[in-house]
Amino acid sequence: MNRPARIESGPEKGKIDALSPVDALANLLADDLKGVEALILERMQSPVGMIPDIASHLIEAGGKRLRPLITLAAAKACGGGGKAALALATAVEFIHTATLLHDDVVDGSTLRRGKTAANLVWGNQSSVLVGDFLFARSFNLMVEAGSIDILDVLARASSTIAEGEVMQLAAAAKGEASRPGYEAIIEAKTAALFSAAAKVGAMASHASPVEVEAMADYGRHLGLAFQLVDDALDYGGVTDMLGKNIGDDFREGKATLPLIIALESGSPDERAFWEHVLTKRHEPQDLARGLELIKRHRGVVRTLEAAQQHADTARDALSVMASSPFVDALADLADYVVQRAN
Amino acid sequence: MNRPARIESGPEKGKIDALSPVDALANLLADDLKGVEALILERMQSPVGMIPDIASHLIEAGGKRLRPLITLAAAKACGGGGKAALALATAVEFIHTATLLHDDVVDGSTLRRGKTAANLVWGNQSSVLVGDFLFARSFNLMVEAGSIDILDVLARASSTIAEGEVMQLAAAAKGEASRPGYEAIIEAKTAALFSAAAKVGAMASHASPVEVEAMADYGRHLGLAFQLVDDALDYGGVTDMLGKNIGDDFREGKATLPLIIALESGSPDERAFWEHVLTKRHEPQDLARGLELIKRHRGVVRTLEAAQQHADTARDALSVMASSPFVDALADLADYVVQRAN
């Protein structure tokens, strides 16, 4: 699953200690976040009604806005903020949303070309086009931020995301399951945007090169931790959480770290099972066996350990920053993305 | 059909008079064009092999590069050229190619979600992702050109293209057929990029505002002429050209100008037929009737007349430019995009 699991805890007034770090960050940046929400609403408008209709499905009010929060916090942590940071935070959210829309594209229809009625030619195409629209709009927003260097960072992140998604597609198609391959995929499809989100926040505040690199590092490792947790949660996390569809990645043939760990540690028989699962059409009962093997080899637990390491590295990256409530909140966020799985 | 009909005439050495204006332009800009071809090849590379594989399918050697030629010629016509123009011409071609890739996405598969084998999840998704990659790379190229104003023009054109495509999708889904609707669609999906291609060429040469607007106008009307001709050719042109699939737009429920003209001029019976064709699932024999009605009301001929008017306006827009072989070649190109249908 590329789509992040929603972080569900809501802010509870009067109980500051009970706030999740995401909510704490949102409170700390309440005014800026309001500005971003307004910009999101404004910039997803179009005289073509279908565009805001579809866009608002994904960019609905109440989303946690994790990536834009990181941009805003990074800007503030570097002593800046203001209009450029708002535009960039919105641009980052639009890139993320475009990615989600394009992730939604389903296939299996090449054989039907020319046979489907025109009014059926909808779902996929509109997802693609509205994604394109938001992606283009994100560049308009970057233009408003006015820095060609910042634009370069986000344009590079955007092509890297596409590379990561293609890598993932190609790996799934070939039935590949390797740790270096997996690491390259999550680096590109997830960490690149988290890293750029933090980096451009710092750049918008005219931060020093050391600070800019610190924020880029922070974002990168936070993104890696985030994706590892997401992939652990796809197998139910450690507590076999309720309310989550277990095994989506398995069904889609995506070899994520829990599976790769089980494969690496498996007996020859077990490896043959994984080989079969990854390259052949598999049956519903295969998932039960897969889950059992992942449990036996502590695939989920060890994935979360890897996530914690990245969270620690993210926190460490902040050590060069002048202390501030924003830096503290970003540090707490790093731990939180892992804790949400426990 | 959004995909432009290929302009087939090839350069014939020693017979300068027989050169099509596209070839004449390519000859005039041979060195720059070579530079663009090299940049295209270089920038579609990726360690992820599937990306250049898929991209090269569409960006194959020998394409006519109409849009990049316009950028290069506009730059030269305004006394400039050089590296920025090459980067922008390449960016324009990448945007165009990304659009083609995203146009290829087929639908009808929502019902299959979760039932398709992972290795079938390919065609659409890879088209989308490689399009995204090229789109992102186009912004990297724009960054190299170094002007935020130029970037703004191409980012706006990109969101306009997406709007145009969504308009077209929505109109087809609702069975709409109106001249203002059609004009808005071709303005957005085709003319916006032609206009931006010419405009950014001028901007890269630091042309005067008058020249920049002249080139933007030229590109816009050239694009409108181009699309009108394309839509006329989809119904066989005036000579019922061989080798072209007739009626693709009809089958896809896209109401283009030839159809709209027949509808506007039609008897109540004929209008009922068009109403049926546009809103209900239609049968193969309906195309024959549609073609007959379009012929009766001179839909193709009158569409080509409208194209010629835009070609004339495009040529007129060039009147403020200092005379040069580049301006002459652009003027000839305007007539040629219409003549290719005769």
Side-chain angles (χ1 to χ4, degrees):
Chain A
M1 284 283 292
N2 198 29
R3 180 153 320 181
R6 198 166 292 277
I7 298 170
E8 290 292 356
S9 64
E12 295 171 67
K13 274 178 190 148
K15 284 193 186 177
I16 298 298
D17 287 357
L19 282 184
S20 84
V22 179
D23 295 323
L25 205 52
N27 280 2
L28 206 55
L29 296 160
D31 287 346
D32 281 355
L33 193 55
K34 216 177 281 175
V36 168
E37 295 292 347
L39 257 186
I40 286 176
L41 255 179
E42 184 190 320
R43 299 310 168 85
M44 74 184 191
Q45 293 312 313
S46 160
V48 186
M50 221 168 96
I51 291 176
D53 288 354
I54 292 177
S56 61
H57 258 280
L58 267 176
I59 321 188
E60 88 256 67
K64 283 293 172 189
R65 314 281 186 233
L66 190 53
R67 293 161 191 78
L69 277 173
I70 291 167
T71 302
L72 294 172
K76 292 277 194 193
C78 297
K83 273 187 78 171
L86 296 192
L88 293 172
T90 307
V92 164
E93 184 71 359
F94 276 10
I95 292 174
H96 173 56
T97 310
T99 310
L100 294 185
L101 275 165
H102 286 184
D103 254 22
D104 277 351
V105 169
V106 191
D107 217 300
S109 51
T110 7
L111 297 173
R112 296 176 161 218
R113 189 187 282 260
K115 287 186 190 167
T116 17
N119 61 351
L120 278 180
V121 183
W122 256 92
N124 273 349
Q125 290 196 333
S126 48
S127 290
V128 171
L129 295 172
V130 176
D132 289 352
F133 175 81
L134 291 174
F135 195 45
R137 277 282 162 99
S138 79
F139 282 93
N140 288 128
L141 283 156
M142 292 176 222
V143 164
E144 287 171 38
S147 153
I148 208 106
D149 290 339
I150 288 177
L151 230 147
D152 193 32
V153 170
L154 285 168
R156 273 174 209 277
S158 299
S159 57
T160 301
I161 294 169
E163 285 181 318
E165 302 268 2
V166 175
M167 270 191 261
Q168 178 172 273
L169 207 63
K174 289 187 209 153
E176 275 177 10
S178 84
R179 201 182 277 249
Y182 170 76
E183 285 169 353
I185 288 168
I186 67 172
E187 187 81 61
K189 78 167 187 173
T190 308
L193 186 57
F194 273 88
S195 179
K199 186 174 186 177
V200 299
M203 289 171 80
S205 295
H206 308 288
S208 71
V210 171
E211 288 173 315
V212 168
E213 276 324 296
M215 291 312 309
D217 260 16
Y218 167 81
R220 175 180 167 230
H221 288 286
L222 185 75
L224 291 170
F226 186 88
Q227 188 60 54
L228 285 162
V229 169
D230 220 43
D231 293 344
L233 287 173
D234 193 67
Y235 287 104
V238 275
T239 51
D240 297 338
M241 294 176 131
L242 285 164
K244 178 103 172 80
N245 241 350
I246 302 287
D248 279 344
D249 290 338
F250 183 92
R251 274 184 289 270
E252 293 170 21
K254 290 181 194 163
T256 58
L257 193 55
L259 186 159
I260 292 167
I261 287 170
L263 174 68
E264 284 174 347
S265 316
S267 66
D269 260 15
E270 291 172 12
R271 297 175 68 90
F273 164 78
W274 289 118
E275 170 84 16
H276 166 83
V277 156
L278 289 168
T279 54
K280 305 271 187 319
R281 205 183 170 84
H282 48 77
E283 306 300 322
Q285 65 268 24
D286 287 337
L287 176 59
R289 172 109 205 260
L291 286 170
E292 183 209 309
L293 294 180
I294 287 172
K295 199 161 201 169
R296 181 182 308 165
H297 297 289
R298 302 179 57 250
V300 169
V301 173
R302 287 157 71 191
T303 297
L304 290 173
E305 285 167 4
Q308 186 63 57
Q309 281 182 14
H310 282 294
D312 293 345
T313 311
R315 186 187 265 279
D316 290 348
L318 298 173
S319 63
V320 301
M321 306 295 299
S323 92
S324 79
F326 304 104
V327 172
D328 292 346
L330 287 172
D332 290 347
L333 182 62
D335 287 332
Y336 178 68
V337 300
V338 184
Q339 283 156 16
R340 73 187 169 106
N342 289 306
Chain B
M1 283 283 292
N2 200 26
R3 177 153 323 181
R6 196 166 293 277
I7 298 171
E8 291 293 357
S9 63
E12 294 170 70
K13 274 180 190 146
K15 283 193 188 179
I16 297 299
D17 287 358
L19 282 185
S20 84
V22 179
D23 295 324
L25 206 52
N27 279 3
L28 206 55
L29 296 160
D31 286 347
D32 282 355
L33 193 56
K34 214 177 278 174
V36 168
E37 295 292 346
L39 258 185
I40 287 176
L41 254 179
E42 183 190 321
R43 299 310 168 84
M44 74 182 192
Q45 293 311 313
S46 161
V48 186
M50 222 170 94
I51 290 177
D53 287 354
I54 292 178
S56 61
H57 258 278
L58 267 176
I59 323 188
E60 87 257 68
K64 284 292 171 186
R65 314 279 187 237
L66 190 54
R67 291 160 192 78
L69 277 174
I70 291 167
T71 303
L72 295 172
K76 293 277 194 194
C78 298
K83 272 187 81 171
L86 295 191
L88 292 172
T90 307
V92 163
E93 183 72 359
F94 276 10
I95 293 174
H96 172 57
T97 310
T99 309
L100 294 185
L101 276 164
H102 286 186
D103 253 21
D104 277 350
V105 169
V106 190
D107 215 301
S109 51
T110 9
L111 297 171
R112 295 177 163 219
R113 189 186 281 264
K115 287 187 189 167
T116 18
N119 60 352
L120 279 179
V121 185
W122 257 92
N124 274 347
Q125 291 196 333
S126 49
S127 290
V128 171
L129 296 171
V130 175
D132 289 351
F133 175 81
L134 291 175
F135 195 45
R137 278 283 161 99
S138 79
F139 282 94
N140 288 128
L141 282 156
M142 293 175 222
V143 164
E144 288 171 36
S147 154
I148 207 105
D149 289 338
I150 288 177
L151 230 145
D152 194 31
V153 170
L154 285 168
R156 275 173 208 276
S158 299
S159 57
T160 301
I161 294 169
E163 285 182 318
E165 302 268 2
V166 175
M167 271 191 261
Q168 178 172 272
L169 208 62
K174 290 186 209 153
E176 275 177 9
S178 83
R179 202 183 277 247
Y182 170 76
E183 284 168 354
I185 289 169
I186 67 171
E187 186 82 60
K189 78 166 188 174
T190 309
L193 187 57
F194 272 88
S195 178
K199 187 175 185 176
V200 300
M203 290 171 79
S205 294
H206 308 288
S208 70
V210 170
E211 287 173 316
V212 169
E213 277 323 297
M215 292 312 309
D217 260 16
Y218 167 81
R220 177 180 166 231
H221 288 286
L222 185 74
L224 291 170
F226 186 86
Q227 188 60 56
L228 284 162
V229 169
D230 220 43
D231 294 344
L233 287 173
D234 193 66
Y235 286 105
V238 276
T239 51
D240 298 336
M241 293 175 129
L242 284 165
K244 177 102 172 82
N245 242 347
I246 301 288
D248 279 344
D249 291 337
F250 183 93
R251 274 183 290 270
E252 292 170 23
K254 290 181 194 162
T256 57
L257 194 54
L259 186 160
I260 291 167
I261 286 170
L263 173 68
E264 284 174 346
S265 317
S267 66
D269 259 18
E270 291 172 14
R271 296 174 70 90
F273 164 78
W274 290 118
E275 171 82 17
H276 166 84
V277 156
L278 290 168
T279 56
K280 306 273 187 318
R281 204 182 173 84
H282 48 78
E283 305 301 321
Q285 65 269 27
D286 288 337
L287 176 59
R289 172 104 205 262
L291 287 171
E292 183 208 309
L293 294 180
I294 287 172
K295 198 159 202 170
R296 181 181 308 165
H297 296 290
R298 302 180 59 246
V300 169
V301 174
R302 286 157 71 190
T303 297
L304 290 173
E305 285 165 3
Q308 186 63 55
Q309 280 181 15
H310 283 295
D312 292 345
T313 311
R315 184 187 265 277
D316 290 347
L318 298 174
S319 63
V320 301
M321 306 294 299
S323 92
S324 78
F326 304 104
V327 172
D328 291 345
L330 288 172
D332 290 346
L333 181 63
D335 287 331
Y336 178 68
V337 298
V338 185
Q339 282 156 15
R340 72 187 170 108
N342 289 305

